Amino acid sequence: MFRNYWRSFMYSMGLVAIIFIIFSLIFPESIRIKHLYHMVCILIPVNLFSFFTFELKLFSKHIWIRRMVVIAFSLLVLFVGGYIFGSTRFELKSLVVYCIVALIVTMVIVFAYYVADKIEQRNLNLINQKLSEKNKGNIE
């Protein structure tokens, strides 16, 4: 299990590094190293929580409930991390923007989960089809 967690963590760290590099190239004047620290500090608890939630099937046997719990936890950690690093403001305008962004991020993540499920289902159907063809050949 540790190997699977480490692989997941390193994959996430690489993704954070790529995102940081891209944003630092697009916005060189406004992206600082503190943003990378912020991203890593958010990644660590979210990655731990999501890995063990899915690996140990915590909270529910239904995968969509686990997914929603992980999304909610991720948004909470993002908000708290933003407060700790000083990028979250408690103004009405800012809170409205945060809620809109949280809604958009949630919809994108749910769509990504849906697409991943469809791809996995298609792959399973192809495997089942190949196995049934192989079994037909063995029977004859």
Side-chain angles (χ1 to χ4, degrees), residues 25-40:
L25 291 173
I26 295 172
F27 307 108
E29 300 299 320
S30 59
I31 299 297
R32 303 281 179 251
I33 194 70
K34 77 174 191 169
H35 296 109
L36 179 62
Y37 297 156
H38 184 178
M39 292 166 70
V40 169

Side-chain angles (χ1 to χ4, degrees), residues 69-88:
V69 168
V70 167
I71 290 170
F73 180 78
S74 301
L75 291 173
L76 177 70
V77 169
L78 184 63
F79 185 72
V80 170
Y83 177 74
I84 291 170
F85 278 85
S87 60
T88 301

Side-chain angles (χ1 to χ4, degrees), residues 26-74:
I26 295 172
F27 307 108
E29 300 299 320
S30 59
I31 299 297
R32 303 281 179 251
I33 194 70
K34 77 174 191 169
H35 296 109
L36 179 62
Y37 297 156
H38 184 178
M39 292 166 70
V40 169
C41 288
I42 289 172
L43 170 78
I44 291 169
V46 168
N47 190 275
L48 271 169
F49 183 80
S50 63
F51 180 80
F52 288 112
T53 298
F54 290 117
E55 192 72 22
L56 302 176
K57 294 185 169 113
L58 301 177
F59 302 107
S60 175
K61 292 188 186 287
H62 301 285
I63 192 163
W64 276 101
I65 293 174
R66 290 193 308 266
R67 288 174 175 173
M68 289 299 123
V69 168
V70 167
I71 290 170
F73 180 78
S74 301

Side-chain angles (χ1 to χ4, degrees), residues 71-116:
I71 290 170
F73 180 78
S74 301
L75 291 173
L76 177 70
V77 169
L78 184 63
F79 185 72
V80 170
Y83 177 74
I84 291 170
F85 278 85
S87 60
T88 301
R89 297 184 190 131
F90 291 108
E91 301 167 352
L92 181 60
K93 183 179 176 183
S94 297
L95 291 175
V96 169
V97 170
Y98 297 147
C99 288
I100 291 171
V101 169
L103 181 64
I104 291 170
V105 167
T106 301
M107 291 188 323
V108 167
I109 292 171
V110 167
F111 179 73
Y113 278 139
Y114 177 76
V115 169

